Amino acid sequence: MSSRVVVTLAGDVLDPTRPVLHADDLGAVRGDGVFETLLVRGGKACRVDAHLARLRRSAAAVDLAEPDVDAWTRAIGIAATAWGAAEEGAMRLYLSRGREDGDGGETALLTVSAVPARVASARTTGVSALTLARGYSVDVAGAAPWTLLGAKTLSYAVNMAALRHAQRAGFDDVIFRSAEGYVLEGPRSTVVAVTDRVMTTPPVEHGVLPGTTVDALYDVAGSAGFTCRRAPLRVADLVLADSVWMVSSITLAAKVHTLGDTVYGETALDATVRELVDTAISR
Ligand code: PLP
């Protein structure tokens, strides 16, 4: 296993100690581009088709050229193999508008690095979270598509700032709420509330990123006896839920053990939810 893998879209495995971006790359200086993060498990990337479908949608939202799905699929395979099967890895697909002078075309790179240390405890013991205002209405995604809500752009500084704000207040993670008080998403995860055997996640029309992990979960949860809904959720609905989860490609299922003042106990279905997400993403 390598400690870091860097691969070009053409499939060249680069020396990971060498710089690869120009100082005027628009992804670096303006966040002008899109990305994806995939789990590498057993030397293979998980849910490749779903991530590439979202990469295409995100690229279209920011007027980048249609990504070459065959080239990305091949490069993903090369990067996952170079990472190896010994340990899980976090693969990032980076696609930016390229250099400021515009001559060199888009920049497309793949990297694989170790799964962040926080992930192990989030998977097993869960996370504490704070709800924070995102500052706008659920109508903004439809009314102002240039805000790029629902696209996975490289502009994540606001999400990272929200996480630091929560961490200063002693919490691990954030659940954003809309101006009307609807639950939106985490800065890097989808929110799922579970009550009895009903799972509810906010609708993508509310301006949240369409999550690949919640899709995978919903694909398998029905046959495990769950009803899976996409419906507006209020913060009060989270407080009343049996359990609340933040699901995402790398962390998988992080149970919210504390939401502000609310502390959730273990439920009989917690292990089932964790297992469902784990098996769903490996299919
Ligand atoms: N919402 C946001 C803002 C994210 O950054 C992510 C993570 O990529 C998700 C939701 C969950 O998406 P996925 O399950 O595809 O990782």
Side-chain angles (χ1 to χ4, degrees), residues 35-37 51 54 134 152 156 159 185-190 209-214 247-250:
F35 77 109
E36 281 295 321
T37 311
H51 284 283
R54 190 170 62 191
R134 192 173 241 179
K152 199 162 168 68
Y156 260 49
N159 294 24
E185 63 187 341
R188 52 189 174 202
S189 61
T190 304
L209 188 75
T212 62
T213 312
V214 72
V247 304
S248 59
S249 301
I250 304 296

Side-chain angles (χ1 to χ4, degrees), residues 22-270:
H22 288 279
D24 62 351
D25 191 274
L26 290 165
V29 297
R30 291 209 195 279
D32 191 0
V34 297
F35 77 109
E36 281 295 321
T37 311
L38 294 72
L39 184 67
V40 178
R41 183 180 264 187
K44 290 199 168 15
C46 300
R47 308 279 302 167
V48 172
D49 292 349
H51 284 283
L52 288 179
R54 190 170 62 191
L55 185 76
R56 289 177 63 197
R57 291 198 303 273
S58 299
V62 299
D63 304 310
L64 289 175
E66 170 88 27
D68 179 342
V69 167
D70 290 342
W72 280 103
T73 306
R74 217 171 24 248
I76 287 169
I78 291 168
T81 304
W83 177 257
E87 232 181 71
E88 285 186 353
M91 179 184 290
R92 186 174 290 129
L93 315 183
Y94 175 95
L95 176 60
S96 84
R97 202 172 304 282
R99 298 188 62 182
E100 201 148 35
D101 64 17
D103 286 347
E106 292 164 358
T107 307
L109 290 167
L110 301 85
T111 61
V112 190
S113 47
V115 166
R118 63 179 159 77
V119 165
S121 71
R123 285 182 186 173
T124 51
T125 49
V127 293
S128 59
L130 195 56
T131 68
L132 291 181
R134 192 173 241 179
Y136 33 73
S137 153
V138 289
D139 295 337
V140 169
W146 52 89
T147 53
L148 298 176
L149 294 172
K152 199 162 168 68
T153 74
L154 288 166
S155 312
Y156 260 49
V158 169
N159 294 24
M160 297 301 108
L163 283 169
R164 290 192 301 275
H165 183 88
Q167 281 154 8
R168 279 194 292 272
F171 291 84
D172 304 316
D173 217 321
V174 170
I175 294 180
F176 285 122
R177 56 175 199 273
S178 75
E180 303 88 348
Y182 287 116
V183 175
L184 295 172
E185 63 187 341
R188 52 189 174 202
S189 61
T190 304
V191 176
V192 180
V194 181
T195 297
D196 298 324
R197 281 191 169 258
V198 180
M199 295 184 176
T200 310
T201 195
V204 293
E205 294 75 23
H206 278 190
V208 299
L209 188 75
T212 62
T213 312
V214 72
D215 282 352
L217 171 64
Y218 276 20
D219 282 349
V220 299
S223 44
F226 287 89
T227 302
C228 300
R229 304 189 319 145
R230 296 173 192 276
L233 274 173
R234 297 261 176 196
V235 174
D237 297 321
L238 296 187
V239 171
L240 294 174
D242 294 343
S243 63
V244 176
W245 298 81
M246 304 184 78
V247 304
S248 59
S249 301
I250 304 296
T251 302
L252 304 181
K255 175 171 164 130
V256 178
H257 60 68
T258 309
L259 180 65
D261 296 335
T262 305
V263 176
Y264 300 87
E266 288 290 306
T267 81
L269 292 176
D270 286 359

